[in-house]
Amino acid sequence: MQYILFFVAIHGLSLTVLSSSHDDLMSLKNNVLKLEHDLARQRAINGEIRKGLYQIRKSRAANCSASPIVFQARLSSTIYPLGANQIIAYDSIVTNEGNAYDTLTGMFEATVTGLYQFMATMWSNDGYNVDFQMIYNGAEVCAGRTTTTNQSMGICSAILQIPTGGRVFVRHKGTSGNYALGGNYAVFAGHLIM
């Protein structure tokens, strides 16, 4: 009997709480049911949002050209000396989906109006440097420089809204530095974002 009293004394608090909180338990049960209902409703809303985002992405993709526009060309041959403002024709095609880049002229010409991303690099030879710039619509959109340290790399990149027929190219910037080292390390690349 003493053991039972001890048990009741130890667990009496929880028994009392349980017996006195029957209403609280019912309230908690109702709250859980309400939360489960709210969660199910939120999942349905999230599903509709996902469907809407999918439709938006699908619509944007449909508005893009039927084929992708993406190119990457490397400079395989060294160009020395570079003339003032000479266009640098990256002559070795890696990829040219959409045929928008011309290795002979060194120009990218947009076949579709859209938002494009471009990147150009140059590579130096020991004792030489080169300043270069990316040109769109007659204006510089970015510039890069290699140093006279052997095998330094210069880079520039730009994101541009370009209409059909718009041209982007890389050229020597002025007369500073005039050695464009080949060897397929320097690249000019771009792609249609949307």
Side-chain angles (χ1 to χ4, degrees):
M1 187 78 152
Q2 195 173 17
Y3 178 74
I4 294 171
L5 288 175
F6 178 71
F7 178 79
V8 171
I10 290 175
H11 295 288
L13 180 61
S14 61
L15 289 175
T16 305
V17 168
L18 286 177
S19 64
S20 69
S21 63
H22 182 293
D23 293 338
D24 292 339
L25 286 174
M26 291 307 292
S27 176
L28 287 173
K29 185 177 179 181
N30 289 337
N31 285 342
V32 167
L33 289 173
K34 183 182 180 314
L35 289 172
E36 286 174 347
H37 177 264
D38 290 347
L39 180 61
R41 193 173 62 190
Q42 188 61 52
R43 284 182 177 155
I45 290 169
N46 290 349
E48 292 300 315
I49 290 171
R50 277 192 297 276
K51 284 181 192 174
L53 289 174
Y54 172 77
Q55 292 301 324
I56 289 169
R57 289 181 185 140
K58 187 175 173 184
S59 172
R60 283 184 182 165
N63 289 335
C64 286
S65 64
S67 64
I69 299 171
V70 59
F71 78 95
Q72 179 180 341
R74 301 179 297 185
L75 187 63
S76 66
S77 302
T78 296
I79 304 171
Y80 178 78
L82 281 167
N85 299 320
Q86 178 180 339
I87 294 174
I88 300 167
Y90 293 76
D91 57 337
S92 176
I93 291 290
V94 175
T95 188
N96 196 10
E97 293 294 322
N99 296 314
Y101 179 74
D102 184 346
T103 57
L104 295 176
T105 63
M107 291 199 183
F108 167 84
E109 185 173 340
T111 56
V112 164
T113 296
L115 188 63
Y116 291 83
Q117 181 174 24
F118 298 94
M119 186 254 324
T121 66
M122 291 302 296
W123 193 38
S124 72
N125 197 13
D126 195 27
Y128 295 92
N129 73 296
V130 66
D131 290 340
F132 62 101
Q133 60 190 163
M134 191 180 298
I135 302 293
Y136 166 62
N137 229 9
E140 178 184 292
V141 293
C142 69
R145 167 180 278 180
T146 67
T147 67
T148 56
T149 305
N150 190 32
Q151 300 178 352
S152 76
M153 184 73 71
I155 186 169
C156 75
S157 65
I159 298 175
L160 305 167
Q161 183 69 39
I162 301 178
T164 300
R167 292 182 177 174
V168 177
F169 57 92
V170 178
R171 74 179 185 190
H172 180 223
K173 184 173 181 172
T175 57
S176 177
N178 63 355
Y179 196 107
L181 187 61
N184 290 323
Y185 289 94
V187 299
F188 181 31
H191 67 277
L192 176 64
I193 298 172
M194 59 183 219

